[in-house]
């Protein structure tokens, strides 16, 4: 019976700790530097590029134009996107204006159980992000009903759109500033680059399970 | 009686030392890891600060372990994660089986998990006709070849690409021989995508479980962990009960320490934080998430304030990489799930000193492990303690099979050593006799082992005590 | 720069058991180096061993008895200079652990605080200046694990070598790796230990050095034994003896 296992384990642990457990002081805070916005953008870009992410800083320009150029260089049939999100809606609009030589927009239709076959055949996906971390170089995703978890994992190319003002200096800062402890969603993912492995002779290879390419578009409005 | 005496460590180590290819593979890989860690932790004082934080976080968590586990259970339950407790690995295996049976599931994909290795889960499920597929590339390689991990972070590091090419060619249908690493990866990707697609259950380990929020944190580079915990309708996470931390704010420093120590990375490709199963309206993610919390001897370790430090371990593997013994013999020679310095202190405490006590002798106490441990476990100090536990009187022992190595020969030898070194006259006479005998000392006992690789030490004709006397140095 | 006031009038010298029986000349050289700087050296006659062999092998009770014997012999408030990183590490950092919860703990701590390794003492407290009288020579250096990781004194040892004008120091590729001695480790796991020391010998050979220097007799005994076994004719020497040889007027 696992109920009794639970009690036995907890009883043993309580006994092991004793009546007066050792009091250990709080850990010190991590040393951290405070960066201004352009420094944060630069640091995130450099670090993510170092792990083979393609990073585009888009200043005061329509990002969908840049995206279209990126896509045209690749021979893609389908692009998964999330309508109903600011990123998805803007994308849809841009495709309505002009979509020659561009992949066909597809949506995550239905639950994974029904959509699985389709999903595993899609070429690329565009998602939004809730922020970034300069210190380690990563984007933060909070997948939700509109942007399911597998959008950023199954298609071979993942394009993530990041607002420059959402880049935090450190992970600790992100957790604190946005009060994560009180409002964590089903799943949070930090992503720093394309999927990779070094399991064979420590030789780096990309795209072993997840995307082979990660493209980050940093939208920087500094007007 | 393999159950009673455990694996033959000396024989295993000897065989490993004779395997030049194996030694070359490890030397190359470990050297690389050491270098990468050094690059990422280049600022010594900052690293020291960070290690101190890691040490404090883990010590704090251990000092309130039962409370934190209860809080974790409460918060997980509130979030919809079902929590199970297992006293033993057998019980944990049964729990996995029960969940699978309840869902009529017979296909399981696995992300990398050392606790599942500890459980012997693969063999257990396979005996019950359940397909188990390791999806971490390294684990996949050794599973194909019916082997165990030789390193806790890079399980197939003992194989070079020619050996891996052979395994793929022989074990995977319609796979031509190729040594091209990109191609080998592509083969694994194709094969495993099918498995993810079809599996009904995904199983993973846990790097950190956050009591405050009921969140399971997993780090990885490949994406197989995210696949295993997102595609199949059921996710089972297994964790040793020491993996719980108090607050979400503990995660950033612990992550830095883990990834920096394990692979020399600032951050892994993915940090996957799971707080609940799929919510209504969400389109993917498992409908059920189960967390199995395993004891298997850990609660006993907690009761000793010194040995408790063993439980601070975050399984980064950096002590393996820096260990001059591990680097030479590799992981398999240890004969247990956890190799290297951490294995030398963990296995004897879980399996008992009779079975695993010899591991504690396989260290020169060089302290390379303690110097790099991200949570500052004093491994050499704990090795001394375990050596002592082996020789102590049974009633004074705290570790299983304590006193099992107690024997007259060694007891007398050390008592004799004590008498010689506390009685200067005896010491002086002994020294004189020894130096006269000199090279004629019989090659038996310790000297026999010593002279297998070296000539015997030559005793000086006059001791330092005599020289000092002759020089007229003051004694008081 | 070290202050003149740091230089003590008197010090104790702990000669270590291996120096006593195998490397007495090195022990004496270390002692004379201190004397030459005008410091009186006291060598308590009844000293023997720091207790590390038993401590490391799982016999702390026996180690305690031997340790306590030394502690009683070095009772006055003088620095205790130890020409070994390993024995110094034992006496400075492990004695307080060995006596944790023991009634003698306070006394032990007072003893441990006074322990200083020879190289550090020569550089930090005496600000020793060495005038090299020897022929040009190429040497290499082996760092003992405890000198490196417990005592953190390797830079002092190397600073001393670098003071010698005619000595060229070539560093090992794996200087930070253990030579495989480890006391009873060499006996309990002979093949692993033997492989480690064989690798150390290869590393030493590739430097092309004529001599190997070290600050710990355990390592010296291990490495020289292995070189002898393999017929490698590179001489090994304790740093103190090397310095004394090269700097004293004949």
């Amino acid at each position: 019976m696992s109920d009794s296992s639970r009690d036995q384990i907890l009883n043993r642990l309580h006994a092991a700790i004793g009546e007066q457990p050792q009091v250990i002081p709080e850990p010190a805070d991590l040393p951290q530097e405070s960066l201004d916005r352009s420094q944060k953008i630069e640091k995130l870009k450099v670090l993510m590029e170092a792990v083979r992410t393609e990073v585009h800083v888009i200043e005061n320009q329509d990002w969908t134009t840049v995206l279209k150029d990126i896509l045209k260089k690749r021979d893609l049939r389908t692009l998964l996107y999330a309508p109903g999100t600011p990123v998805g809606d803007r994308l849809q609009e841009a495709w309505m204006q002009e979509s020659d030589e561009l992949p066909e927009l597809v949506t995550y239709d239905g639950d994974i159980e029904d959509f699985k076959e389709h999903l595993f055949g899609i070429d690329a996906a565009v998602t939004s992000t809730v922020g970034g971390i300069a210190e380690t170089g990563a984007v933060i995703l909070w997948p939700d009903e509109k942007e399911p978890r597998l959008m950023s994992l199954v298609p071979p190319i993942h394009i993530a759109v990041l607002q420059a003002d959402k880049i935090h200096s450190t992970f600790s800062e992100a957790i604190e500033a946005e009060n994560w402890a009180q409002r964590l969603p089903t799943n949070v993912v930090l992503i720093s680059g394309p999927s990779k492995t070094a399991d064979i002779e420590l030789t780096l290879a990309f795209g072993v399970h997840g995307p082979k390419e990660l493209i980050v578009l940093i939208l920087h409005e500094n007007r | 009686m393999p159950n009673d005496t455990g694996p033959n460590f000396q024989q295993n180590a000897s065989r490993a030392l004779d395997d030049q290819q194996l030694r070359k593979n490890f030397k190359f890989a470990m050297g690389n890891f050491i270098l990468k860690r050094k690059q990422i932790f280049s600022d010594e004082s900052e690293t020291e600060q960070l290690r101190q934080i890691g040490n404090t976080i883990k010590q704090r968590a251990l000092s309130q372990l039962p409370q934190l586990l209860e809080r974790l259970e409460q918060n997980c339950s509130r979030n919809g994660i079902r929590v199970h407790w297992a006293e033993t690995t057998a019980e944990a295996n049964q729990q996995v089986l029960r969940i699978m049976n309840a869902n009529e599931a017979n296909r399981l994909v696995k992300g990398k998990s050392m606790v599942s290795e500890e459980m012997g889960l693969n063999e257990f499920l396979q005996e019950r006709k359940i397909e188990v597929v390791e999806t971490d590339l390294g684990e996949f390689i050794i599973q194909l070849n019916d082997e165990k991990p030789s390193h806790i972070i890079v399980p197939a590091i003992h194989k070079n690409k020619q050996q891996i090419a052979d395994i793929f060619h022989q074990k995977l249908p319609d796979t031509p021989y190729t040594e091209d690493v990109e191609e080998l990866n592509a083969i694994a990707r194709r094969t495993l995508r099918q498995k993810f697609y079809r599996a009904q259950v995904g199983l993973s380990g846990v790097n950190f479980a956050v009591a405050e929020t009921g969140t399971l944190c997993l780090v990885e580079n490949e994406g197989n962990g995210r696949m295993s915990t997102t595609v199949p309708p059921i996710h089972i996470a297994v964790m040793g009960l020491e993996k719980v931390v108090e607050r979400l704010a503990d995660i950033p420093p612990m992550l830095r320490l883990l990834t920096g120590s394990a692979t020399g990375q600032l951050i892994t490709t993915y940090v996957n934080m799971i707080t609940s199963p799929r919510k209504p309206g969400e389109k993917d993610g498992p409908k059920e998430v189960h967390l199995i919390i395993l004891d298997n001897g850990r609660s006993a370790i907690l009761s000793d304030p010194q040995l408790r430090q063993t439980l601070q371990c975050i399984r980064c593997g950096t002590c393996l990489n820096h260990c001059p013994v591990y680097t030479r013999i590799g992981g398999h020679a240890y004969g247990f799930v956890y190799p290297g310095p951490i294995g030398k202190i963990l296995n004897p405490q879980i399996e008992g000193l009779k079975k695993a006590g010899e591991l504690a002798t396989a260290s020169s106490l060089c302290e390379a492990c303690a110097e790099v441990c991200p949570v500052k476990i004093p491994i050499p100090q704990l090795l001394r303690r375990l050596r002592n536990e082996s020789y102590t009187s049974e009633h004074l022992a705290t570790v299983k099979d304590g006193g099992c190595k107690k024997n007259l020969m060694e007891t007398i030898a050390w008592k004799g050593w004590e008498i010689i070194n506390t009685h200067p006259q005896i010491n002086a006479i002994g020294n004189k006799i020894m130096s006269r005998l000199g090279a004629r000392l019989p090659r038996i006992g310790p000297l026999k082992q010593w002279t297998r690789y070296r000539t015997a030490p030559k005793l000086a004709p006059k001791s330092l005590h005599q020289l000092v006397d002759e020089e007229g140095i003051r004694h008081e | 720069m070290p202050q003149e006031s740091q230089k003590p009038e008197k010090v104790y010298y702990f000669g270590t058991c291996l120096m006593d029986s195998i490397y007495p000349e090195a022990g004496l050289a270390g002692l004379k180096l201190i004397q030459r700087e005008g410091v009186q050296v006291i060598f308590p006659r009844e000293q023997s061993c720091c207790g590390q062999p038993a401590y490391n092998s799982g016999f702390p009770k026996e180690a305690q008895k031997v340790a306590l014997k030394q502690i009683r012999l070095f009772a006055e408030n003088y620095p205790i200079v130890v020409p070994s990183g390993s024995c110094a590490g034992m006496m400075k950092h492990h004695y307080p652990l060995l006596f944790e919860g023991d009634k003698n703990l306070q006394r032990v701590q007072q003893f441990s605080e006074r322990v200083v390794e020879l190289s550090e003492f020569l550089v930090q407290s005496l600000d020793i200046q060495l005038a090299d009288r020897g022929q040009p020579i190429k040497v290499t250096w082996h760092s003992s694990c405890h000198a490196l990781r417990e005592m953190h004194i390797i830079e002092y040892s190397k600073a001393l070598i670098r003071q010698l004008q005619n000595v060229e120091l070539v560093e090992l590729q794996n200087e930070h790796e253990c030579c495989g001695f480890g006391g009873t480790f060499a006996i309990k796991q002979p093949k692993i230990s033997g492989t480690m020391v064989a690798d150390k010998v290869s590393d030493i050979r590739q430097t092309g050095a004529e001599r190997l220097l070290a600050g710990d007799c355990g390592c010296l005994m291990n490495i020289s034994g292995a070189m002898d076994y393999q017929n490698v004719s590179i001489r090994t020497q304790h740093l103190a003896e090397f310095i004394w040889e090269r700097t004293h007027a004949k």
Side-chain angles (χ1 to χ4, degrees):
Chain A
M1 275 297 292
S2 53
D3 266 356
S4 75
S5 290
R6 173 191 186 275
D7 295 344
Q8 277 177 28
I9 292 169
L10 285 171
N11 286 343
R12 267 202 310 276
L13 292 176
H14 278 291
I17 296 301
E19 302 266 300
Q20 284 171 310
Q22 217 182 334
V23 179
I24 315 271
E26 294 245 349
D29 284 332
L30 266 178
Q32 43 186 285
E33 48 178 346
S34 207
L35 306 172
D36 68 28
R37 186 178 301 174
S38 61
Q39 286 170 321
K40 284 192 268 194
I41 293 171
E42 185 56 23
K43 184 149 194 188
L44 180 133
K45 180 173 188 284
V46 166
L47 289 174
M48 291 191 76
E49 282 175 346
V51 290
R52 220 185 277 195
T53 301
E54 188 177 318
V55 181
H56 300 265
V57 181
I58 303 167
E59 289 183 55
N60 311 318
Q61 195 195 342
D62 181 1
W63 60 270
T64 57
T65 316
V66 179
L67 177 63
K68 282 178 176 176
D69 288 341
I70 292 169
L71 293 172
K72 276 175 189 165
K73 285 182 210 144
R74 295 166 170 85
D75 184 23
L76 307 174
R77 285 165 298 125
T78 45
L79 178 65
L80 184 64
Y81 82 115
T85 61
V87 165
D89 290 345
R90 178 72 202 98
L91 194 73
Q92 198 172 1
E93 223 177 273
W95 253 247
M96 274 160 58
Q97 282 160 6
E98 195 255 65
S99 64
D100 289 347
E101 295 171 62
L102 286 169
E104 178 198 345
L105 289 186
V106 293
T107 56
Y108 205 119
D109 274 335
D111 288 349
I112 175 67
E113 287 74 18
D114 308 316
F115 186 62
K116 211 192 270 184
E117 194 180 332
H118 197 164
L119 175 67
F120 276 72
I122 290 170
D123 293 334
V126 179
T127 72
S128 44
T129 62
V130 300
I133 302 166
E135 184 190 35
T136 55
V139 292
I140 307 167
L141 275 72
W142 284 27
D144 59 14
E145 295 166 24
K146 290 176 183 148
E147 279 187 350
R149 292 159 72 167
L150 292 173
M151 283 183 79
S152 62
L153 184 64
V154 174
I157 300 175
H158 173 211
I159 299 143
V161 181
L162 170 64
Q163 303 289 340
D165 60 0
K166 293 284 184 62
I167 303 176
H168 297 276
S169 293
T170 65
F171 187 19
S172 298
E173 187 189 292
I175 288 177
E176 205 170 316
E178 298 180 16
N179 196 19
W180 285 27
Q182 302 305 315
R183 48 190 283 268
L184 277 178
T186 304
N187 180 236
V188 174
V189 205
L190 313 188
I191 304 177
S192 63
S195 153
K196 67 181 173 192
T197 184
D199 274 350
I200 302 177
E201 287 191 0
L202 301 182
T203 307
L204 258 188
F206 290 87
V208 62
H209 293 296
K212 291 175 181 169
E213 285 185 70
L214 172 65
I215 300 165
V216 174
L217 310 181
I218 302 177
L219 314 190
H220 189 196
E221 302 287 332
N222 53 5
R223 273 190 283 234
Chain B
M1 298 174 292
N3 267 346
D4 212 34
T5 54
N8 188 333
F9 176 74
Q10 290 222 5
Q11 208 174 70
N12 293 345
S14 173
R15 202 174 304 139
L17 291 169
D18 291 337
D19 185 339
Q20 292 309 314
Q21 181 64 54
L22 185 92
R23 284 204 53 193
K24 215 174 113 196
N25 295 352
F26 273 102
K27 192 175 176 189
F28 164 73
M30 298 306 110
N32 210 303
F33 275 126
I34 290 173
L35 205 68
K36 282 178 77 182
R37 180 194 175 274
K38 216 176 197 168
Q39 284 165 354
I40 214 77
F41 288 139
S42 57
D43 182 334
E44 258 180 59
S45 85
E46 195 197 280
T47 303
E48 190 46 37
Q49 225 177 324
L50 194 57
R51 288 172 72 220
Q52 190 51 54
I53 292 172
N55 173 275
T56 308
I57 289 172
K58 290 302 281 189
Q59 285 206 352
R60 255 177 86 88
L62 292 175
S63 74
Q64 43 182 331
L65 189 55
Q67 292 85 351
L68 289 186
L69 286 168
E70 283 173 285
R71 195 159 159 218
L72 175 71
E73 180 187 41
Q74 239 170 40
N75 285 326
C76 281
S77 304
R78 189 200 61 205
N79 300 340
I81 296 175
R82 296 184 218 176
V83 179
H84 312 260
W85 302 72
E87 288 259 38
T88 60
T89 56
E91 193 178 357
N93 283 331
Q94 285 297 340
Q95 285 164 347
V96 174
L97 183 66
R98 211 172 304 134
I99 296 165
M100 296 209 62
N101 286 344
N103 291 280
E104 294 175 14
N106 56 8
R107 291 189 300 271
L108 178 133
V109 283
K110 276 180 74 191
K112 200 172 155 22
S113 152
M114 287 310 293
V115 166
S116 75
E117 295 286 343
E118 189 179 328
M119 289 158 60
L121 179 68
N122 294 11
E123 295 77 7
F124 173 86
L125 291 178
Q126 280 160 357
E127 279 164 22
R128 285 154 187 83
K129 304 275 171 266
I130 289 172
E131 182 190 72
V132 181
V133 180
E134 294 284 356
T135 63
D136 170 88
L137 179 63
E139 292 279 356
F140 176 66
I141 293 166
I142 58 170
Q143 189 189 27
L144 283 179
N145 209 37
D146 205 14
E147 287 184 65
K148 292 280 172 199
S150 61
H151 188 288
I152 66 178
I153 299 295
V154 276
I157 200 64
H158 57 292
K159 293 267 181 267
N160 62 14
K161 64 183 175 202
Q162 289 80 13
Q163 293 167 309
I164 294 165
D166 261 333
I167 294 170
F168 276 24
H169 177 55
Q170 284 165 21
K171 304 286 169 86
L172 293 171
D174 309 320
T175 306
Y177 181 93
T178 171
E179 290 177 11
D180 183 82
V181 173
E182 288 278 346
E183 185 51 33
L184 289 168
N185 276 297
I187 294 166
R189 179 181 171 109
R190 275 199 300 276
T191 311
L192 290 170
R193 281 227 154 188
Q194 286 308 308
K195 300 293 180 188
F196 289 125
Y197 190 86
R198 295 177 62 244
Q200 301 125 321
V201 177
L203 186 129
S204 76
V206 175
N207 292 104
F208 305 102
V210 184
E212 178 186 26
T213 56
T215 301
L216 312 177
C217 300
L218 282 79
V219 303
E220 56 158 338
N221 286 313
E222 294 185 4
N224 67 306
R226 286 183 67 200
M227 285 279 192
S228 302
T229 57
T230 318
V231 180
I234 295 166
H235 168 209
I236 304 172
V238 290
M239 68 174 240
L241 52 73
E242 79 282 14
K243 285 293 172 79
V244 66
V245 296
E246 190 179 349
R247 307 168 311 172
L248 192 63
D250 294 335
I251 295 299
M254 293 316 294
L255 277 180
R256 281 280 303 280
L257 286 164
L258 176 60
T259 62
S261 304
T263 48
Q265 290 176 280
L266 261 180
I267 187 171
T268 43
T269 299
Y270 302 117
V271 176
N272 185 10
M273 303 170 76
I274 299 164
T275 304
S276 82
R278 186 192 311 188
K279 288 190 185 128
E282 290 176 349
K283 292 176 179 149
D284 59 17
K287 291 174 175 164
E288 285 178 25
V289 177
H290 298 263
L291 173 65
I292 298 175
I293 301 175
L294 176 68
D295 184 339
N296 194 32
R298 289 165 172 82
S299 55
I301 299 176
L302 187 73
S303 64
D304 184 284
Q306 186 186 28
L307 294 171
R308 178 184 296 175
Q309 297 172 93
T310 312
L311 299 178
Q312 287 164 210
C313 177
I314 57 173
R315 307 287 188 266
C316 70
T318 204
C319 62
L320 279 59
N321 305 341
H322 288 79
C323 176
V325 175
Y326 176 89
T327 305
R328 285 175 175 76
I329 65 174
H332 289 156
Y334 291 80
F336 291 91
V337 171
Y338 301 103
I342 185 64
K344 289 176 205 175
I345 58 170
L346 191 55
N347 298 312
Q349 294 184 70
I350 292 182
E351 307 281 344
L353 290 163
K354 221 178 258 175
K355 210 168 147 183
E358 189 182 3
L359 296 181
T361 69
S363 165
S364 63
L365 304 176
C366 78
E367 311 220 1
C369 50
E371 187 179 45
V372 294
C373 176
V375 289
K376 304 184 83 168
I377 303 173
I379 296 176
Q381 202 52 17
L382 301 184
L383 284 169
R384 288 187 183 96
R385 170 69 188 279
L386 290 173
R387 290 176 182 185
N388 176 231
E389 288 278 330
S390 298
Y391 292 110
T392 196
S393 301
E394 224 170 300
H395 67 278
L396 294 174
T398 49
V399 177
K400 187 181 165 197
D401 308 327
C404 69
K405 285 211 285 182
K406 195 170 181 175
N407 66 80
L408 202 61
M409 279 281 281
E410 277 183 280
T411 307
I412 290 175
W414 286 109
K415 194 72 202 168
W417 170 89
E418 177 205 310
I419 290 169
I420 289 171
N421 284 294
T422 46
H423 293 80
Q425 298 83 354
I426 303 178
N427 197 2
I429 295 168
N431 256 337
K432 258 182 209 153
I433 297 174
M434 294 282 274
S435 67
R436 294 255 166 78
L437 281 176
R440 293 192 301 277
L441 283 173
R443 301 286 188 273
I444 51 166
L447 201 55
K448 182 179 165 193
Q449 299 305 339
W450 178 267
T451 51
R452 280 172 65 189
Y453 300 93
R454 315 160 188 83
T455 55
K458 293 174 197 62
L459 293 153
K462 282 182 184 171
S463 70
L464 179 60
H465 275 82
Q466 286 170 283
L467 295 186
V468 163
D469 271 346
E470 288 172 11
E471 290 282 331
I473 307 293
R474 281 189 53 178
H475 289 302
E476 314 298 336
Chain C
M1 282 302 288
Q3 301 293 308
E4 189 61 27
S5 61
Q6 277 185 293
K7 183 166 155 178
E9 217 174 292
K10 280 184 198 172
V11 299
Y12 280 128
Y13 193 72
F14 179 79
T16 86
C17 61
L18 284 180
M19 276 191 163
D20 192 38
S21 55
I22 302 176
Y23 296 98
E25 296 292 346
L28 191 64
L31 192 154
K32 285 181 173 170
L33 282 171
I34 303 170
Q35 275 185 331
R36 193 173 68 188
E37 297 301 305
V39 177
Q40 194 176 82
V41 181
I42 300 169
F43 185 90
R45 192 197 295 270
E46 299 198 348
Q47 61 175 280
S48 55
C49 169
C50 66
Q52 189 175 188
Y55 177 66
N56 283 354
S57 303
F59 293 84
K61 286 269 167 293
E62 288 78 358
Q64 266 189 357
K65 296 226 173 84
V66 172
L68 212 52
K69 172 85 183 170
Q70 316 309 317
I71 290 164
R72 291 204 180 98
L73 291 170
F74 294 74
E76 298 297 327
N77 192 25
Y78 311 139
I80 303 158
V81 183
V82 183
S84 153
S86 194
C87 307
M90 174 70 191
M91 298 169 105
K92 196 168 188 66
H93 300 297
H94 291 282
Y95 274 11
L97 299 171
L98 180 62
F99 287 89
E100 217 175 294
D102 188 279
K103 63 178 191 310
N104 292 302
L105 181 62
Q106 211 185 349
R107 191 170 163 202
V108 171
Q109 283 168 335
Q110 283 162 2
F111 172 93
S112 293
E113 279 163 16
R114 289 185 280 131
V115 172
V116 56
E117 194 273 343
L118 177 66
S119 303
E120 180 177 1
F121 182 72
L122 294 176
V123 175
Q124 287 291 83
S125 301
L126 304 186
D127 190 19
I128 196 170
Q129 302 300 321
L130 303 174
D132 193 0
R133 296 161 186 262
Q135 293 299 308
I137 186 173
K138 192 158 136 185
V139 302
T140 186
W141 166 258
H142 167 71
S143 287
S144 94
C145 296
H146 297 163
L148 179 71
R149 302 193 181 92
E150 284 181 351
M151 296 302 290
H152 306 282
I153 50 98
I154 294 305
E155 283 318 307
Y156 300 121
S157 305
K158 287 190 181 169
L160 290 171
I161 299 174
R162 292 201 181 101
Q163 278 195 35
L164 298 167
Q165 247 183 346
N166 294 330
V167 177
E168 183 195 348
L169 174 64
V170 196
E171 296 193 338
L172 293 174
Q173 268 173 11
N174 294 307
E175 187 189 314
H176 293 182
E177 198 178 60
C178 178
C179 70
F181 176 56
T184 47
F185 168 69
I187 309 299
K188 300 248 175 188
Q189 300 294 342
K191 188 158 175 176
I192 301 174
S193 169
T195 308
M196 285 164 72
V197 71
D199 289 348
K200 186 58 77 179
V201 172
S202 317
D203 196 3
I204 293 165
R205 291 179 73 170
Q206 62 79 29
T207 62
E210 298 158 56
R211 201 170 299 182
L212 170 82
L213 303 179
D216 266 281
C217 293
C219 311
L220 280 174
M221 184 172 82
N222 183 41
I223 297 169
S224 67
M227 291 216 274
D228 207 19
Y229 187 86
Q230 296 177 30
N231 290 319
V232 176
S233 57
I234 297 172
R235 199 178 148 195
T236 60
Q237 197 171 31
H238 191 279
L239 177 62
E241 191 181 344
F242 180 72
I243 295 175
W244 179 254
E245 259 181 28
R246 294 189 71 90
T247 57
H248 89 286
K250 299 218 164 112

